[in-house]
Amino acid sequence: MKSTNSLWKTNLHGQTAPDLERELDIYETELELRRQGKLDEKVFAETRLRRGAYGQRYDNGQRWDGEKTQQLAFPSELTKGPGTAWDAPGMVRVKIPFGGMNAHQLEVMAELAEEYSDNIAHVTTRQDFQLHFVHIEDTPALMRRLAAVGITTREACGNSVRNVTACPIAGVCHTEAFDVTPYAHGLAMFLLGHPDTQDFGRKFKIAFSGCVDKACGLVMLHDMGAIAKVQVVDGEEKRGFALYVGGGLGSVPHQAKLFAEFLPEEELLPISQAISRVYAKLGEKKNRNRARIKFLIAQLGIDEFRRLVLEERKILPFDPRWSEFLHDLHGLDEEPLHPAGALPAGEFPTGFAEWHRTNAYAQKQAGYATVTIKLPLGDITPDQLRGLADLARSYTRETIRLTVDQNIVLRWVSQADLVAFYLGLQALQLAQAGAGTLIDITSCPGTDTCKLGISASRGLASELSQRLAAKAHLLDEAIQGLHIKVSGCFNSCGQHHVADLGFYGVSRRSGNYTVPHFQVVLGGQWHENAGAYGLAIVAVPSKNIPAVVDRLTSAYITEREKAESFQAYIKRVGKAQIKASLEDLTKIPAHDDNPSFYSDWGDTREFTLGDIGEGECAGEVVSRIEFDLAFAEREAFEAQILLEKGDFQLAGERAYGAMLQSARALVREQLYDVPSDPEQLVNEFRTRYYDTQLFWDPFAGGKFGQYLFHAHKQAHLPYSPDEAHRRIEEAQLVVEAAHACYQRLSKK
Amino acid sequence: MQHFNVKVFAVQDFDLTPYVGVFNGWIQKQIAPELLIDVADYLHVPSGPGMLLIGHEANYSLDQTDGKLGLLYNRKAVLPGSAPENLTQALNSALWACEQLSQETGVQFDKSHYQVLVNDRLLAPNSEQTFQALLPDLQAVFAKHFGHSHFTIAQTSPDVRKRFRVDVRLNN
Ligand code: SF4
């Protein structure tokens, strides 16, 4: 959509790491191939998902307008995935490993939110940023601008290793065993684009935590989670992790299982790789509802799963990167900008005391605080981002992190600067107190933008925040520390299972109408790394949820026994009684008596389920071979472009690369560890597909295989224009033959 | 030049809550020349984008940036015209939307004060050079709009990180 999209590549050339630049060139080519109808929509969908370009509500071209379902007349008939209109606005998820950012990166997020999105950058519950309402054609330029400041969206969505998260106060926390930051970073970089993580049936989420007791890392709800641990081995203190696997929320939440009491730090990467391989090999691929690793572990049992992983570990080819990052564990260490200090005595500005109580965390480094900037529903404007970048430069060495509570923290603010810092935040309208309290509500996007949303989670969260903030000063201390989390459906992106008061969207029929509801989820535990999951007790109309919050919190204040936690209170009173106490709130008034019950929060349209689309949370499960063959096709296409530009040598090499890639795709079907060395690869291909005649064309016989052998034999020679041209034609035929071979074999 | 945005300020602040319904009505009837798609509500964000009507070629919004409420037209799709033609298109679209809102809800907009920005830093970095380059077009378009040249055009911020933006005000 932007007239300048094509200019960013040249403009940023040299400012981007070569591998990121190449990756983006590939994406741009794939986008062009799709535009020309030369790349299958299913493959393109997975391709864009793996680059963080995600679908958004109404992208099937339909929207309920309150009276009828409108067909949105987008100009292009092209699709960017099955049932997904090319021109429909989409979301881009920006992966921020462990949530760590610098000031310039915040400024670039501000630029992108303004130029490509809707003037809002949104912080997610997994330390990502999200931009909404982005046109697919703008995504390469957007990603290039991110890449130029060292940020990638690669594998932010799709069936891949998602953002690796970590406690936002890692390194400054009183209770941590050690700073998990370099480990989170090391693992994130190691697994990014790793060949062993490219064939998952579903997404794979990893989290790090510095200690067992606090909640920050939420390890227990992740596919893989690592809790820092120090153990004395042979009289020496050794760093390692308690490693957990198979946790997850979603519609069927699983608590993670202990994989290893103590995994030495040098085993973190190889064991993660071995886990990835076992998951890729044995995980479910067809039924995405059972494809997360938690189902595989439940099916095998943790002991058998562990055995398989350890077997896999034994046969892993050695990789020097497993331990390289351990030599630079202090590369990400942070320094303060200003000397440590104390909060000055005297009069404080209005609101400061409360803000200081809830939003400033005294670091283990005396005289410093980590300050939480509480964002309403995780949203921040470009001007605020720039202002925050200025504050980060003025008071810290840009030590910024996003949090899983959808907030931002700035670490290493000298206590002596806190008042000035607070005033700076006030000027940006970012000084709201109450971080981590009842008014700091987490919500997934819900029906605002998510294709699967049932109810308006953000609408409800916004309503509750406003009501609770208005009476924040009156709230009893007992309930101030409770957490409210809201999801728009059972998928639990808002993490409702681990809230004190969790809600997720459902609907109920009433006469001829469908009425938005939320299930009330109680018994969840945020602490101890999300140590317990709550259960739904009753569905209540959306418009009665504020009353549910009032009633439950009031009952807790009046009925709790001394120092009784909310979870303990719920357990003691019993869910049956609590459910009974909410009974009257489950009633739906007749439409004529109160039509507002028939619309959702923040929406005037009569409620419908008709807007729910096909989810892209996991993406279509595109088989590895389809993906690899699409890669080969793209290489053959790139070879053509290079030929047009007169770069015959590179064109010939790329065409030969496309042939090798076709062979690799087929060989991988039989041999998991397909060799990367071309000579070995061609030999494997010859033995497995040529000599067996599996690759032979019913009419042309072994001709296409011979093209590959010939190209391989000539690979060291320079390409003339004619030879480059011929090689491209041959490469296209080899790619086609590989497709045909795959189809023949799948039919068998 | 492409991607002009024009903001027309409201005479006074008003509650934006009902405008989710108003904008939804626009989608129902598809009353704009652009394809209208969805409504995005950011009223919880202080001095934020307010209430947005997301379209394919352009967004309309009741924008609260800098704490000043106004109707903002944000042209996203490329237009074939020259800079003055494209700016005129954005200005007319913004004024059309103001007129619609005034008719539907009675709110008033101040036709003596506009903001123009170019939503593309590559086309128009926030610099004196851009200002000098665009000034003749801005003057021509607003002279035609006001019917005279008694108005002032000034850049709103020297911050190079921001988008190029000018205030256009009728002189007292
Ligand atoms: S919980 Fe449901 S509505 Fe919310 S983002 Fe996840 S899939 Fe969408």
Side-chain angles (χ1 to χ4, degrees):
Chain A
M1 292 283 276
K2 281 275 187 237
S3 57
T4 48
N5 278 342
S6 60
L7 305 178
W8 281 105
K9 181 176 169 167
T10 331
N11 209 272
L12 294 172
H13 183 65
Q15 294 178 43
T16 309
D19 55 333
L20 281 184
E21 193 165 348
R22 171 81 187 119
E23 167 60 22
L24 288 166
D25 289 347
I26 289 172
Y27 175 54
E28 207 156 9
T29 306
E30 286 166 342
L31 198 123
E32 183 53 36
L33 280 171
R34 178 66 202 135
R35 206 179 355 222
Q36 295 179 15
K38 291 179 181 161
L39 185 63
D40 175 69
E41 61 174 5
K42 202 170 73 166
V43 176
F44 179 69
E46 180 60 13
T47 272
R48 67 172 164 77
L49 284 167
R50 288 193 189 192
R51 266 75 171 214
Y54 198 81
Q56 212 178 291
R57 206 165 175 89
Y58 316 122
D59 64 9
N60 57 1
Q62 292 184 3
R63 182 182 184 273
W64 169 250
D65 68 12
E67 288 175 354
K68 60 188 177 306
T69 293
Q70 251 193 47
Q71 302 300 321
L72 300 170
F74 290 114
S76 168
E77 288 189 355
L78 191 62
T79 58
K80 53 184 173 182
T84 311
W86 183 259
D87 282 321
M91 178 265 274
V92 174
R93 183 175 296 146
V94 183
K95 243 177 160 179
I96 309 291
F98 64 86
M101 296 186 86
N102 61 37
H104 189 35
Q105 290 172 331
L106 285 189
E107 289 165 343
V108 170
M109 281 307 306
E111 290 183 5
L112 304 182
E114 286 172 334
E115 290 182 44
Y116 303 110
S117 178
D118 57 356
N119 259 319
I120 284 289
H122 174 73
V123 177
T124 75
T125 53
R126 294 209 73 258
Q127 295 178 315
D128 303 293
F129 258 119
Q130 277 180 192
L131 298 171
H132 292 97
F133 300 105
V134 179
H135 194 278
I136 189 71
E137 289 178 21
D138 290 341
T139 54
L142 182 158
M143 291 174 194
R144 285 187 193 284
R145 294 170 75 174
L146 284 170
V149 290
I151 296 178
T152 179
T153 60
R154 191 172 179 193
E155 294 170 4
C157 303
N159 302 317
S160 54
V161 177
R162 302 292 184 83
N163 195 31
V164 176
T165 58
C167 317
I169 50 169
V172 299
C173 168
H174 291 269
T175 56
E176 68 185 0
F178 54 84
D179 182 1
V180 294
T181 308
Y183 300 92
H185 179 257
L187 186 60
M189 295 304 118
F190 177 67
L191 293 180
L192 182 69
H194 195 290
D196 287 337
T197 63
Q198 303 305 303
D199 197 19
F200 291 169
R202 273 294 242 134
K203 57 190 167 187
F204 192 81
K205 295 179 179 175
I206 300 176
F208 281 80
S209 192
C211 71
V212 182
D213 296 339
K214 302 284 178 199
C216 324
L218 300 179
V219 155
M220 302 307 280
L221 56 83
H222 282 80
D223 296 285
M224 192 182 104
I227 301 179
K229 207 169 174 181
V230 174
Q231 196 163 290
V232 178
V233 181
D234 299 332
E236 250 186 63
E237 277 205 344
K238 231 185 134 16
R239 282 179 171 195
F241 297 91
L243 195 73
Y244 288 84
V245 286
L249 295 180
S251 48
V252 191
H254 286 52
Q255 277 283 344
K257 303 271 181 304
L258 184 65
F259 179 90
E261 280 278 3
F262 184 78
L263 184 76
E265 57 181 356
E266 61 275 13
E267 277 302 299
L268 177 67
L269 270 50
I271 285 291
S272 304
Q273 188 183 347
I275 288 172
S276 301
R277 286 163 70 102
V278 170
Y279 177 43
K281 283 180 192 174
L282 302 181
E284 171 66 44
K285 298 274 167 42
K286 290 202 174 75
N287 178 0
R288 58 188 263 181
N289 292 326
R290 299 194 61 80
R292 291 288 287 272
I293 198 171
K294 62 188 177 187
F295 294 105
L296 177 66
I297 293 169
Q299 180 200 328
L300 294 172
I302 183 67
D303 294 331
E304 175 61 6
F305 178 77
R306 187 185 299 112
R307 188 189 70 75
L308 290 169
V309 170
L310 295 177
E311 284 301 312
E312 194 70 41
R313 167 69 186 94
K314 281 185 207 154
I315 57 162
L316 275 188
F318 173 76
D319 189 332
R321 291 178 300 165
W322 288 342
S323 54
E324 269 169 10
F325 82 106
L326 295 172
H327 306 313
D328 189 28
L329 280 183
H330 295 289
L332 295 167
D333 281 359
E334 296 170 346
E335 299 269 315
L337 182 67
H338 292 167
L343 200 57
E347 285 264 304
F348 293 126
T350 319
F352 175 82
E354 180 58 7
W355 174 85
H356 183 254
R357 187 177 74 80
T358 54
N359 294 38
Y361 170 82
Q363 297 185 183
K364 68 176 170 188
Q365 297 86 359
Y368 292 100
T370 290
V371 168
T372 301
I373 292 106
K374 182 177 165 310
L375 304 180
L377 305 184
D379 291 341
I380 186 164
T381 70
D383 284 334
Q384 288 175 326
L385 283 167
R386 280 187 286 269
L388 208 51
D390 291 338
L391 289 179
R393 288 193 181 100
S394 303
Y395 294 99
T396 72
R397 289 192 196 274
E398 308 178 26
T399 38
I400 305 158
R401 294 204 190 178
L402 312 182
T403 81
V404 295
D405 294 324
Q406 304 182 292
N407 291 325
I408 297 179
V409 296
L410 251 79
R411 301 137 59 93
W412 295 100
V413 181
S414 171
Q415 297 271 1
D417 290 336
L418 277 178
V419 172
F421 190 85
Y422 171 77
L423 293 173
L425 286 178
Q426 247 189 357
L428 297 170
Q429 296 176 289
L430 284 174
Q432 199 190 8
T437 72
L438 190 65
I439 66 167
D440 192 4
I441 299 174
T442 307
S443 165
C444 78
T447 48
D448 278 15
T449 51
C450 174
K451 292 165 81 167
L452 297 176
I454 294 174
S455 305
S457 44
R458 274 167 63 88
L460 172 62
S462 175
E463 184 67 25
L464 290 175
S465 298
Q466 282 171 35
R467 291 184 187 211
L468 292 167
K471 55 181 181 182
H473 58 290
L474 302 172
L475 293 177
D476 191 284
E477 210 173 310
I479 60 165
Q480 284 195 10
L482 299 184
H483 289 88
I484 298 180
K485 293 182 184 292
V486 191
S487 299
C489 77
F490 50 77
N491 278 312
S492 197
C493 305
Q495 301 172 338
H496 58 259
H497 288 108
V498 294
D500 298 292
L501 290 162
F503 302 100
Y504 73 87
V506 290
S507 67
R508 293 287 183 269
R509 288 294 290 177
S510 173
N512 291 329
Y513 298 97
T514 311
V515 182
H517 277 60
F518 280 91
Q519 279 281 3
V520 180
V521 179
L522 296 177
Q525 184 180 323
W526 181 246
H527 293 289
E528 293 172 21
N529 278 294
Y533 296 158
L535 287 171
I537 61 160
V538 65
V540 174
S542 299
K543 294 293 165 79
N544 272 343
I545 294 294
V548 169
V549 173
D550 277 349
R551 196 168 291 180
L552 289 176
T553 50
S554 306
Y556 173 55
I557 291 167
T558 50
E559 295 168 16
R560 76 186 188 126
E561 291 174 354
K562 200 165 169 251
E564 188 178 36
S565 72
F566 189 69
Q567 282 82 21
Y569 162 76
I570 298 288
K571 211 166 168 187
R572 178 174 58 78
V573 174
K575 289 191 178 144
Q577 190 181 320
I578 290 174
K579 183 176 175 184
S581 75
L582 301 176
E583 189 57 34
D584 59 314
L585 296 176
T586 64
K587 304 279 181 289
I588 307 166
H591 187 273
D592 289 348
D593 292 342
N594 195 344
S596 76
F597 270 69
Y598 296 77
S599 298
D600 215 335
W601 290 108
D603 199 341
T604 51
R605 293 172 295 167
E606 200 138 84
F607 183 75
T608 178
L609 292 177
D611 285 337
I612 297 176
E614 288 281 318
E616 287 190 332
C617 283
E620 289 268 331
V621 179
V622 178
S623 69
R624 178 75 193 256
I625 185 165
E626 285 176 89
F627 220 68
D628 286 349
L629 289 173
F631 187 113
E633 255 179 279
R634 196 245 315 136
E635 287 217 296
F637 178 77
E638 282 182 347
Q640 275 188 60
I641 306 285
L642 289 162
L643 188 74
E644 269 175 26
K645 286 186 182 159
D647 194 340
F648 310 117
Q649 183 60 29
L650 211 51
E653 287 170 12
R654 199 58 56 86
Y656 166 57
M659 291 185 188
L660 286 179
Q661 179 61 23
S662 305
R664 186 173 293 122
L666 289 170
V667 171
R668 200 191 309 272
E669 287 292 282
Q670 295 188 6
L671 178 68
Y672 189 83
D673 280 314
V674 55
S676 52
D677 173 60
E679 182 67 21
Q680 286 175 20
L681 171 64
V682 171
N683 284 339
E684 289 289 352
F685 176 78
R686 190 190 292 274
T687 320
R688 291 166 187 273
Y689 283 91
Y690 187 80
D691 294 348
T692 56
Q693 300 196 356
L694 285 176
F695 189 70
W696 285 36
D697 182 86
F699 306 105
K703 186 160 100 179
F704 303 130
Q706 283 159 16
Y707 285 163
L708 166 66
F709 303 140
H710 178 70
H712 176 61
K713 219 160 125 192
Q714 306 270 313
H716 60 289
L717 300 175
Y719 291 91
S720 67
D722 274 357
E723 280 159 345
H725 195 279
R726 202 174 319 120
R727 191 63 27 93
I728 291 171
E729 289 199 357
E730 289 170 357
Q732 283 168 336
L733 292 167
V734 170
V735 175
E736 285 311 321
H739 271 295
C741 173
Y742 166 57
Q743 279 160 26
R744 282 196 304 275
L745 294 176
S746 341
K747 269 191 202 140
K748 276 188 195 161
Chain B
M1 188 59 72
Q2 299 286 343
H3 310 306
F4 280 110
N5 284 208
V6 173
K7 182 167 176 178
V8 192
F9 291 96
V11 170
Q12 58 186 39
D13 278 357
F14 50 88
D15 177 16
L16 295 187
T17 318
Y19 286 82
V20 69
V22 173
F23 281 159
N24 198 54
W26 289 22
I27 300 177
Q28 251 171 17
K29 300 190 200 89
Q30 289 291 342
I31 60 167
E34 299 88 356
L35 169 67
L36 303 176
I37 302 171
D38 198 8
V39 183
D41 175 348
Y42 289 114
L43 300 188
H44 54 279
V45 181
S47 301
M51 188 71 77
L52 280 119
L53 173 55
I54 308 283
H56 175 63
E57 296 87 352
N59 295 345
Y60 294 86
S61 60
L62 285 163
D63 178 82
Q64 297 173 313
T65 302
D66 294 336
K68 292 178 199 147
L69 177 62
L71 181 287
L72 176 71
Y73 178 79
N74 168 11
R75 180 73 198 183
K76 300 190 286 188
V78 174
L79 286 163
S82 63
E85 285 167 345
N86 295 347
L87 173 56
T88 304
Q89 186 275 342
L91 177 61
N92 289 342
S93 299
L95 290 167
W96 168 83
C98 291
E99 188 55 35
Q100 280 293 324
L101 290 173
S102 299
Q103 278 177 21
E104 280 185 51
T105 68
V107 291
Q108 296 299 317
F109 293 89
D110 176 1
K111 307 283 172 56
S112 67
H113 181 195
Y114 299 86
Q115 237 169 36
V116 175
L117 76 79
V118 182
N119 194 15
D120 191 314
R121 286 173 172 80
L122 217 49
L123 287 178
N126 191 24
S127 65
E128 175 63 22
Q129 265 170 320
T130 306
F131 182 65
Q132 291 306 334
L134 275 180
L135 191 57
D137 292 338
L138 288 161
Q139 279 168 334
V141 169
F142 279 95
K144 194 164 168 201
H145 170 66
F146 290 129
H148 56 77
S149 54
H150 308 302
F151 57 89
T152 312
I153 301 177
Q155 266 181 276
T156 56
S157 164
D159 187 342
V160 291
R161 300 175 302 175
K162 293 193 169 191
R163 293 170 294 178
F164 174 77
R165 186 172 71 169
V166 292
D167 251 333
V168 183
R169 276 176 203 271
L170 273 184
N171 297 338
N172 287 333

